Amino acid sequence: MRPRSSRSLLMLALLASAPALADDGTTVTNERVLTAGGNTLHVELVETTDPARIDELQRWLAEAAGATLTAFGRYPLADATVRITQIDSDDDSPVPWGQTQRGDDVSVLLFVRRDAKLAELREDWTAVHELSHLFHPYLGREGRWLAEGLASYYQNVLRARAGLLTPEAAWRELDAGFARGQREHSGMPLDGLGRRGTMRVYWAGAAFWLEADLALRREHHGSLDQVLSKYSSCCLRGTGEVAPEAFMAKLDELAGADVFLPAYRRYAQSREFPSLDAAYAALGIERGADGLVYADRADARKLRAAIMQPRAKP
């Protein structure tokens, strides 16, 4: 979920449940179907009747959905829906709210500012963040930091791979998020924060997935993408709840290595933001007075490129 502004969730939920009516009283829902690797994403536009705007919003969402294909070449679920509703809002963000709902099916809800231009939408991270929630099962309240952390990590990684921002910009975005998370000092265990300590929930979570991705790439000749692809094939259903420890144990089984569960237990009980020193050293990244500085070591360049390098569309 995108961190909320002060606007009422109830009002936005009501908007989501009330499709627009055309002048003749008929319900207006514009849908396109995206397919990749045998999996399907239905994209519905509610409360939108202008053909030019419909085309613009569909192109934007198709581009964001295309970014998720850089993980393993298909949508992670066999079938899911994205529902886009336009709203009047004075929020600075072109997408003031996004949420992934899991009931009888899985739906990504995106609320788009009615006056948001295509260029603004393309620069925003919300759509890729919410679509990234489709890579994991529902993990409950205690696993919220895992869920939001994966979406926060992938919202930058996948956009860089798709060419929606440069790798350098993606590293800057991640680093800025980590800095926001480091400013939270409640002293509570990470898995007990719930809706509190939002920045630590999102960005300590992102640090967890970065650490796991680096361990897989450096020590086990794999990647987070590969492990999640295997999980998608064998076990991901979209609906229903999976206990965080069970999810981590299954990822370890699929990886053939003890990467996820030991790190999960360490992170879940941590009361401070995790140290990123080892991760940054492996990546050859330092925080300088004028921004991030990248080491020219061959191993560090290769690792950074493996994570962020733009990729051809599958």
Side-chain angles (χ1 to χ4, degrees):
M1 178 187 290
R2 182 188 180 101
R4 289 291 299 120
S5 67
S6 61
R7 281 167 180 73
S8 167
L9 289 175
L10 175 60
M11 179 60 70
L12 291 176
L14 289 173
L15 281 169
S17 63
L21 296 178
D23 292 340
D24 61 2
T26 59
T27 300
V28 177
T29 300
N30 300 282
E31 179 180 348
R32 293 183 185 174
V33 179
L34 305 175
T35 59
N39 292 346
T40 301
L41 199 62
H42 302 268
V43 184
E44 299 177 357
L45 271 64
V46 180
E47 206 181 59
T48 306
T49 58
D50 176 35
R53 184 59 167 171
I54 291 169
D55 180 68
E56 193 170 65
L57 292 174
Q58 288 284 6
R59 282 192 291 133
W60 161 65
L61 197 284
E63 192 173 69
T68 69
L69 299 181
T70 64
F72 45 80
R74 67 182 187 279
Y75 302 123
L77 290 172
D79 191 84
T81 298
V82 179
R83 187 168 293 113
I84 303 171
T85 301
Q86 294 198 97
I87 59 172
D88 295 312
S89 173
D90 58 4
D91 198 299
D92 290 338
S93 170
V95 190
W97 181 39
Q99 183 180 20
T100 303
Q101 289 189 338
R102 303 172 192 267
D104 294 333
D105 55 12
V106 182
S107 299
V108 172
L109 307 180
L110 297 172
F111 292 85
V112 175
R113 217 178 60 225
R114 199 179 305 278
D115 62 349
K117 306 299 183 186
L118 179 59
E120 293 179 86
L121 293 168
R122 295 184 73 198
E123 291 178 357
D124 188 72
W125 50 265
T126 310
V128 177
H129 178 98
E130 294 303 330
L131 289 167
S132 294
H133 280 303
L134 303 182
F135 287 96
H136 65 79
Y138 177 60
L139 297 168
R141 185 175 180 272
E142 290 187 354
R144 180 171 177 257
W145 64 272
L146 283 172
E148 297 299 350
L150 180 60
S152 298
Y153 179 60
Y154 261 178
Q155 79 188 33
N156 294 296
V157 169
L158 301 182
R159 287 190 299 149
R161 292 177 184 171
L164 299 178
L165 73 170
T166 66
E168 292 77 16
W171 288 120
R172 288 196 300 270
E173 291 289 338
L174 279 172
D175 184 66
F178 295 146
R180 291 192 293 273
Q182 288 166 341
R183 291 194 285 270
E184 196 279 321
H185 298 290
S186 69
M188 294 184 63
L190 185 56
D191 64 359
L193 281 175
R195 297 288 174 183
R196 294 167 290 181
T198 296
M199 290 299 102
R200 186 164 148 235
V201 165
Y202 279 61
W203 294 104
F208 168 87
W209 292 105
L210 172 61
E211 180 179 325
D213 202 3
L214 289 173
L216 289 166
R217 292 176 186 278
R218 297 180 70 210
E219 301 167 23
H220 304 287
H221 308 289
S223 71
L224 178 60
D225 306 321
Q226 292 171 354
V227 175
L228 291 178
S229 178
K230 291 177 181 178
Y231 188 84
S232 168
S233 296
C234 76
C235 312
L236 186 60
R237 300 294 176 264
T239 58
E241 184 173 343
V242 176
E245 285 213 11
F247 181 44
M248 297 292 99
K250 189 62 180 181
L251 294 186
D252 276 341
E253 178 186 325
L254 296 170
D258 294 329
V259 171
F260 294 93
L261 191 54
Y264 164 78
R265 288 171 174 162
R266 173 164 48 88
Y267 269 74
Q269 292 304 305
S270 65
R271 295 176 182 270
E272 299 293 339
F273 199 87
S275 171
L276 290 164
D277 291 350
Y280 274 38
L283 290 162
I285 296 176
E286 293 183 4
R287 288 170 171 163
D290 298 320
L292 298 182
V293 179
Y294 304 95
D296 197 35
R297 299 190 333 258
D299 63 324
R301 290 200 315 271
K302 182 178 180 181
L303 191 55
R304 294 194 302 266
I307 293 173
M308 294 287 192
Q309 185 171 312
R311 300 177 185 180
K313 294 181 180 179

